[in-house]
Amino acid sequence: MNRKTLVLPAVVGLLAPVLAACGGSDSGSGSGDPIRVGTTDTFTATKDAPAPVDPAYAYDVGTWNILRQTVQTLMVQPKGEGDPVPEAAQSCGFTDSGNERYACKLRSGLKFSNGDSITAEDVKYSIERALRIKADSGVFALLSTIDTVEAKGDDEVIFHLKTADATFPYKLSTPVAGIVNPKDYEKDKLRDGFDVDGSGPYTFQADVDGDHIVSATFTKNPNYKGALKVNNDKVVMKSFASADAMGDAIDKGDIDVMTRAMTPSQINKLDAGKDKAVDLVEMPGLEIRYLAFNTNANSVKTKAVRQAMAQIIDRSELVSKVYGTQAEPLYSLVPATITGHSNSFFNKYGDPSVSKAKTMLERAGITTPVRITLHYTTDHYGAASKQEFEILEKQLNKSGLFDVDIKGSPWTTFRPAEQKGQYDVYGMGWFPDFADADNYLAPFLDKDNFLGSPYANSDIRNTLIPESRREADRQAASKSLTEIQDIVAEDVPVIPLWQGKQYVAARDDITGTAYALNSSSTLQLWELGRGVS
C-alpha cells in the first residue's frame, strides 16, 4: 500500500536552554541486511575543494549529512524538532543574564570510535581549529560570536562570546562544531580526501572511484554514547548520477530508501499511489531557492537593475510550472513558517509589472536591454533546476528590458567560480543550519558570508543582527529581523524565489521514515529500521 504521511511542522521559536541533564539512550539492535539509501548528492574532492568532508570545511547539505552521522556535537536537534538538546554534552546552558557565557558539561565515558577518551580539551581543540583554519567555504562564520573557549578540567567547556547570541545552542548542533580527534585532524590544516573519524552514532567507510564517492557505508559505532537511539546496524548510501537512475534502483529493490533529490514527476507518481511497494513521506521543509548577485559586477552594480529583475520575476508562474504543490512562492530570505518572517519583497514590489520595472531603469539612466547571464548548477539542487532557469530567462526576456541567457555547470565547477566572483547573477539553494531567522540572514549578509558577497550594509551588520541575537524570545527579535528583510528588498543583493517541501520514498518494509529528515534537511539514518512488508 502506498501511503503519504504528512509530519506536522513544529512551532518554530527559540528559547535559551537551561542547564538540565539529558540522559543518553541505548542503541537499538538493528538486524538483517544493511539498509540501502539512494541520493543524487555528489561527493567530490577537487583541487579547489580537496577536503570536502572535513568539519572545518564542509558546508553543503550532502557533506553535512555524512558528518551528522559520524562526528558528534555538543548539542543536537531533537526528534520531532524544537530547541536543541545535549548530545555529547550531559548539560548545556547560558550561565549569565546577557547570553554571553555558555557552559557545557560532557557526558561521562565519551570515546572516539577508535576508543580514545574525549576530554574538554578535545572540544576546545575542535572549535578553535575551525576558527583558525577559516576555510573559504565560510562555515567558520557560524562560530564567529565566540571570543574564547575554556576547558575546565576534563569535562567542562565554557564559551565566552563576543556579544549576546541566543542562537548559539543551535550553532553547537552543526557539524562545524563537531568534536574531532587531534590525532586525526591537524591543527592548522584541512584533512584532504574522504576519511572521517569521530564519536557519532556511526563509523564511515567510503568506496571511492577516482575523485568521488560511489557509495558509503555507515556502521553502528560500538563506542557511541549520546542522545540518539540507533535502530540499525549498517546503512549503505549510494550516490546516483540522476534521479531517474535512483528511481529505477528503488523500483528494482536495489535500494530501500530514496532521498534528495527526486524530480517533481517522481513525487507526483508516488503521491498518486501507482507504486504499491514504495511509500512516499512528505515532510515540512525549510529549503529556499534564490538568485544572488555579485553587486560589484558591471551588469548588476546599479541597484535599479536588480530591483527591475525583482519587479519582473513571476514566482507564482515559476512554482506552478516547475514544482506545482511541492513549493510555494517566497518573498523574503526567511521562510513563511519561521518566526520573524516578513513578505518584504511583495510589500515593496507587489505583483510582477514590466511597466514599473521600465520606469526604474529609465530613472537610473540604464540602457536597455540589459545583457545578463544567469548561472545555475546542473547537479546539486535537482533535475528541475534547468527548467526553472529556462522560465526565469523567458520571463526576463519577454519584458524587453533584459537580454538574458542561461548557463549550467556541475557543482564542482559552479561553487568555486561563484566564490571567486566569476558570476554576475547565479542561482543558489539554502538548507538551514538551524531553524531560526538568523540563519537565513546572517550567512548572506554578515561579514565572512557564505556567498563571499561584496554587498555590505553597516546597519545590518553592526546593529540589526546583534540586536536580534540578544533576544532569547525570538518573537521579540521580529522588529530587527523585519528591518533587515526590508533593507534586503530595497537593496536586492539577492532575490528569493521559493520555499519547498521535502520528501523521502521507501520500500514498505522500512520503518522510521517519518523522521529520516528533519526540517533542516538533516538526514537521520539512525531512525531507519526494518519491519514487515
Side-chain angles (χ1 to χ4, degrees):
M1 179 186 69
N2 182 282
R3 65 184 182 276
K4 181 178 179 183
T5 304
L6 176 62
V7 181
L8 295 177
V11 176
V12 179
L14 180 62
L15 300 175
V18 296
L19 278 168
C22 177
S25 52
D26 295 332
S27 294
S29 55
S31 60
D33 295 334
I35 294 173
R36 299 155 299 178
V37 175
T39 180
T40 59
D41 285 329
T42 56
F43 310 96
T44 306
T46 66
K47 181 180 178 182
D48 290 311
V53 291
D54 189 316
Y57 177 85
Y59 204 12
D60 67 75
V61 67
T63 52
W64 267 26
N65 279 336
I66 288 176
L67 294 174
R68 288 187 189 274
Q69 322 304 316
T70 52
V71 178
Q72 201 172 17
T73 48
L74 291 170
M75 305 290 284
V76 71
Q77 293 297 298
K79 184 174 181 175
E81 310 300 336
D83 296 340
V85 298
E87 161 60 342
Q90 175 182 311
S91 60
C92 280
F94 287 105
T95 61
D96 67 331
S97 59
N99 292 343
E100 294 183 355
R101 186 181 187 273
Y102 195 79
C104 292
K105 187 175 180 63
L106 300 183
R107 291 180 185 272
S108 62
L110 281 178
K111 294 181 180 180
F112 290 109
S113 58
N114 68 354
D116 289 351
S117 295
I118 296 175
T119 68
E121 283 292 342
D122 295 318
V123 178
K124 181 177 187 290
Y125 177 93
S126 302
I127 299 292
E128 289 180 342
R129 175 178 180 269
L131 288 168
R132 184 184 300 108
I133 290 175
K134 204 174 184 179
D136 60 13
S137 66
V139 69
F140 70 92
L142 281 171
L143 306 175
S144 63
T145 54
I146 294 175
D147 185 17
T148 60
V149 185
E150 176 187 354
K152 190 174 180 181
D154 287 339
D155 64 354
E156 188 174 5
V157 184
I158 301 170
F159 298 93
H160 302 275
L161 306 183
K162 300 173 185 175
T163 184
D165 186 1
T167 70
F168 190 66
Y170 278 86
K171 294 171 181 177
L172 288 183
S173 73
T174 64
V176 69
I179 306 166
V180 299
N181 193 333
K183 292 180 181 178
D184 298 317
Y185 293 83
E186 294 183 39
K187 180 172 63 173
D188 299 304
K189 183 178 181 296
L190 291 172
R191 185 180 185 181
D192 292 353
F194 300 108
D195 290 330
V196 180
D197 294 286
S199 57
Y202 295 98
T203 61
F204 175 79
Q205 181 65 47
D207 180 10
V208 178
D209 181 9
D211 60 357
H212 65 278
I213 294 177
V214 176
S215 66
T217 300
F218 298 88
T219 304
K220 188 167 69 173
N221 175 12
N223 289 318
Y224 170 69
K225 286 194 174 183
L228 307 174
K229 180 181 179 181
V230 184
N231 293 312
N232 56 70
D233 290 327
K234 186 175 291 187
V235 176
V236 177
M237 186 167 68
K238 183 175 180 180
S239 179
F240 288 88
S242 70
D244 288 339
M246 181 170 63
D248 289 343
I250 200 167
D251 287 342
K252 295 174 183 176
D254 293 339
I255 60 174
D256 302 299
V257 180
M258 187 161 59
T259 61
R260 60 178 307 271
M262 290 178 270
T263 65
S265 61
Q266 285 176 321
I267 294 167
N268 289 335
K269 175 185 172 184
L270 289 168
D271 190 21
K274 294 181 180 180
D275 190 333
K276 302 301 181 183
V278 179
D279 300 331
L280 179 70
V281 182
E282 175 190 302
M283 288 160 281
L286 297 177
E287 168 191 5
I288 68 168
R289 297 288 173 82
Y290 58 95
L291 289 179
F293 295 92
N294 175 356
T295 53
N296 282 347
N298 289 332
S299 65
V300 293
K301 190 172 186 177
T302 303
K303 181 169 67 173
V305 173
R306 307 192 300 272
Q307 290 178 325
M309 291 177 68
Q311 184 65 73
I312 291 168
I313 289 172
D314 187 337
R315 295 166 177 81
S316 295
E317 180 189 49
L318 177 68
V319 168
S320 65
K321 287 187 174 180
V322 182
Y323 299 102
T325 60
Q326 298 159 27
E328 295 178 355
L330 181 64
Y331 297 92
S332 168
L333 281 172
V334 181
T337 49
I338 295 287
T339 298
H341 162 82
S342 172
N343 279 321
S344 296
F345 272 78
F346 189 82
N347 295 341
K348 180 169 178 60
Y349 300 99
D351 293 325
S353 171
V354 173
S355 61
K356 288 182 181 179
K358 183 177 180 182
T359 299
M360 292 172 180
L361 294 172
E362 287 176 346
R363 287 176 176 171
I366 301 297
T367 301
T368 59
V370 180
R371 179 80 176 88
I372 288 175
T373 297
L374 303 183
H375 293 267
Y376 68 95
T377 175
T378 56
D379 60 352
H380 196 66
Y381 298 121
S385 293
K386 181 179 180 181
Q387 184 184 358
E388 182 178 339
F389 274 76
E390 287 172 344
I391 290 174
L392 289 171
E393 176 187 28
K394 184 177 179 180
Q395 288 180 355
L396 291 166
N397 285 341
K398 186 179 178 181
S399 73
L401 302 175
F402 290 89
D403 179 10
V404 171
D405 62 6
I406 60 174
K407 184 175 181 180
S409 305
W411 182 251
T412 52
T413 302
F414 176 91
R415 177 62 170 148
E418 174 270 310
Q419 288 175 307
K420 294 173 183 175
Q422 294 176 7
Y423 299 152
D424 295 5
V425 190
Y426 52 97
M428 293 284 283
W430 182 250
F431 300 84
D433 308 321
F434 50 90
D436 185 84
D438 178 84
N439 194 241
Y440 288 91
L441 298 172
F444 308 101
L445 306 170
D446 210 351
K447 183 181 177 183
D448 298 319
N449 62 78
F450 162 74
L451 296 173
S453 171
Y455 173 76
N457 182 288
S458 60
D459 286 341
I460 290 176
R461 291 185 177 182
N462 300 331
T463 303
L464 296 173
I465 288 177
E467 276 182 2
S468 71
R469 288 174 173 169
R470 292 189 190 106
E471 300 292 347
D473 177 356
R474 300 312 282 160
Q475 190 64 50
S478 292
K479 183 177 182 296
S480 300
L481 295 170
T482 298
E483 276 193 65
I484 294 172
Q485 292 166 82
D486 288 347
I487 292 171
V488 171
E490 170 65 30
D491 291 352
V492 199
V494 298
I495 298 177
L497 297 173
W498 56 265
Q499 70 178 89
K501 301 172 185 176
Q502 57 185 359
Y503 300 85
V504 169
R507 298 191 70 82
D508 60 7
D509 63 332
I510 299 300
T511 62
T513 52
Y515 296 101
L517 286 174
N518 69 14
S519 62
S520 298
S521 297
T522 297
L523 189 59
Q524 301 178 141
L525 296 178
W526 55 85
E527 295 288 353
L528 300 176
R530 285 195 185 277
V532 178
S533 176

